[in-house]
Amino acid sequence: MGMIGVAAAVLSVLRSGRTVRQWRHVPEVSASSVDASVLAVVPARNEEATLPRLLPGLVGQPGVRVVVVDDASADGTAAVARSLGAEVVESSGPAPGWAGKTHAMHLGVASARDEEWLLFVDADVTCTPDLVGRLVASATELGADLVSSAARGTGPAWWFLLPAFNTLVFEGSPPDGRGATALAVGHCVLVRRAAFEAAGGWEAIAGTHADDVGLGTLIRDSGGFVKFVDASALLTTSGIDTFGDCWRSLRKSIQPGFREMFGPWGRVLLVVAGLLHLAYGLVPLLRWRSPWSWLAWFAQTVPHREFLRRNGQPETAAVLAPLSWATIGVFLLDCALRPGAQWKDRRVG
């Protein structure tokens, strides 16, 4: 067990140091604002309750035309969107070979006129009235063809589960742009229309359920420059505030994502990753009297604290980092051993 403690400490220090360094590649959203011609597309399925929080802050932003795509909703999504000043495109659901959200965003883009930029925003997001202008300013200052940002929220998932998941995201899609995939977060993605069309648009990744990373990677691999920025002070989301909603949301991305990337090996890799992360979190807890375990524990708290600070969460929760990692291990095992994921009453895994 002594060597296990040493290995856990060394791995935790190296891994945590890498995550903290990656945060240095995430700039704050620009303090300036630039008016531009922007088509904002909001994919919405049964979102009559969330649209009244999003649309008042988005409709009326300078140069922005807002289109809500009613994705076969069973509630009053379309009526609510129209009453709040958005245009509505109605859909009967995804065409064969398309993922639901990707198809909805594709239909929204089809209504474009002469807009220079395309903005894709989740329906459960709330934004400040200067969001779009500051994102355009960020893209202009950075020379980026695509910028995106995660929103912030409230609830236990934000201070317990998501800090560890953030490290997994940075390892798979590092913000320095040097990973196999490019980092983008579907809460809010702004892309230059010319780059989007040159890369093939949503048709090029029609079947993907990881539409955010898929689009970022598509733009990057087509010669565009992709940048993840921190605009979380301008964005909030209610979609993953409860622990259960967060678990289901992450599951509907991770499970089909592994299947798309690794085929039949996806479940095997999830089992291996689950067991390793379970051990990664439990070793510092079970061997808490060892100084090596204390070092591992401390190292794991450092990137957690950075995530919590950036997202306005209680930084003291970073001390729970090993428990968070053990829970991530259980989560990955759940993705592997319980096939099939549901989201918005649709099977996505």
Side-chain angles (χ1 to χ4, degrees), residues 41 104 146 167 225 244 257 281 283 300 327:
V41 177
L146 182 150
T167 293
F225 179 50
V283 167
Q300 290 179 21
T327 305

Tab-separated table of all heavy atoms in Angstrom, residues 41 104 146 167 225 244 257 281 283 300 327:
chain	number	residue	atom	x	y	z
A	41	VAL	N	-29.505	31.015	-32.609
A	41	VAL	CA	-30.361	29.840	-32.757
A	41	VAL	C	-30.512	29.159	-31.397
A	41	VAL	O	-29.518	28.818	-30.746
A	41	VAL	CB	-29.768	28.847	-33.784
A	41	VAL	CG1	-30.632	27.593	-33.873
A	41	VAL	CG2	-29.641	29.509	-35.150
A	104	ALA	N	-32.024	20.237	-34.905
A	104	ALA	CA	-32.732	21.475	-34.591
A	104	ALA	C	-31.875	22.691	-34.914
A	104	ALA	O	-32.360	23.676	-35.506
A	104	ALA	CB	-33.142	21.480	-33.122
A	146	LEU	N	-14.327	30.662	-33.808
A	146	LEU	CA	-15.334	30.123	-32.893
A	146	LEU	C	-14.899	30.413	-31.472
A	146	LEU	O	-13.745	30.156	-31.106
A	146	LEU	CB	-15.519	28.623	-33.100
A	146	LEU	CG	-16.575	27.904	-32.240
A	146	LEU	CD1	-17.158	26.705	-32.988
A	146	LEU	CD2	-16.003	27.431	-30.893
A	167	THR	N	-11.868	18.531	-15.097
A	167	THR	CA	-10.541	17.990	-15.399
A	167	THR	C	-10.613	16.979	-16.533
A	167	THR	O	-9.764	16.976	-17.432
A	167	THR	CB	-9.929	17.345	-14.141
A	167	THR	OG1	-9.653	18.361	-13.182
A	167	THR	CG2	-8.641	16.599	-14.466
A	225	PHE	N	-9.697	28.886	-36.174
A	225	PHE	CA	-9.122	29.038	-34.836
A	225	PHE	C	-10.253	29.026	-33.823
A	225	PHE	O	-11.203	29.804	-33.920
A	225	PHE	CB	-8.322	30.339	-34.740
A	225	PHE	CG	-7.714	30.583	-33.383
A	225	PHE	CD1	-6.983	29.597	-32.743
A	225	PHE	CD2	-7.868	31.812	-32.748
A	225	PHE	CE1	-6.421	29.812	-31.493
A	225	PHE	CE2	-7.311	32.051	-31.496
A	225	PHE	CZ	-6.582	31.043	-30.871
A	244	GLY	N	-29.321	14.946	-9.870
A	244	GLY	CA	-29.854	13.979	-10.827
A	244	GLY	C	-29.833	14.507	-12.248
A	244	GLY	O	-29.470	13.786	-13.186
A	257	GLY	N	-20.838	9.477	-26.676
A	257	GLY	CA	-19.545	9.974	-27.135
A	257	GLY	C	-18.502	8.871	-27.191
A	257	GLY	O	-17.739	8.763	-28.161
A	281	GLY	N	-9.814	8.417	-6.301
A	281	GLY	CA	-10.442	9.158	-5.222
A	281	GLY	C	-10.377	8.469	-3.879
A	281	GLY	O	-10.239	9.124	-2.832
A	283	VAL	N	-8.104	6.148	-2.640
A	283	VAL	CA	-6.808	5.917	-1.998
A	283	VAL	C	-6.465	7.007	-0.985
A	283	VAL	O	-6.091	6.706	0.162
A	283	VAL	CB	-5.691	5.757	-3.054
A	283	VAL	CG1	-4.311	5.841	-2.392
A	283	VAL	CG2	-5.831	4.424	-3.769
A	300	GLN	N	-5.282	17.203	-5.296
A	300	GLN	CA	-6.582	17.089	-5.950
A	300	GLN	C	-7.480	18.290	-5.656
A	300	GLN	O	-8.339	18.646	-6.471
A	300	GLN	CB	-7.267	15.791	-5.523
A	300	GLN	CG	-6.599	14.543	-6.098
A	300	GLN	CD	-7.270	13.256	-5.649
A	300	GLN	OE1	-8.426	13.253	-5.231
A	300	GLN	NE2	-6.540	12.142	-5.727
A	327	THR	N	-16.815	9.543	-6.940
A	327	THR	CA	-18.154	9.594	-7.527
A	327	THR	C	-18.074	9.593	-9.047
A	327	THR	O	-18.906	8.968	-9.716
A	327	THR	CB	-18.899	10.846	-7.036
A	327	THR	OG1	-18.911	10.849	-5.600
A	327	THR	CG2	-20.329	10.857	-7.553
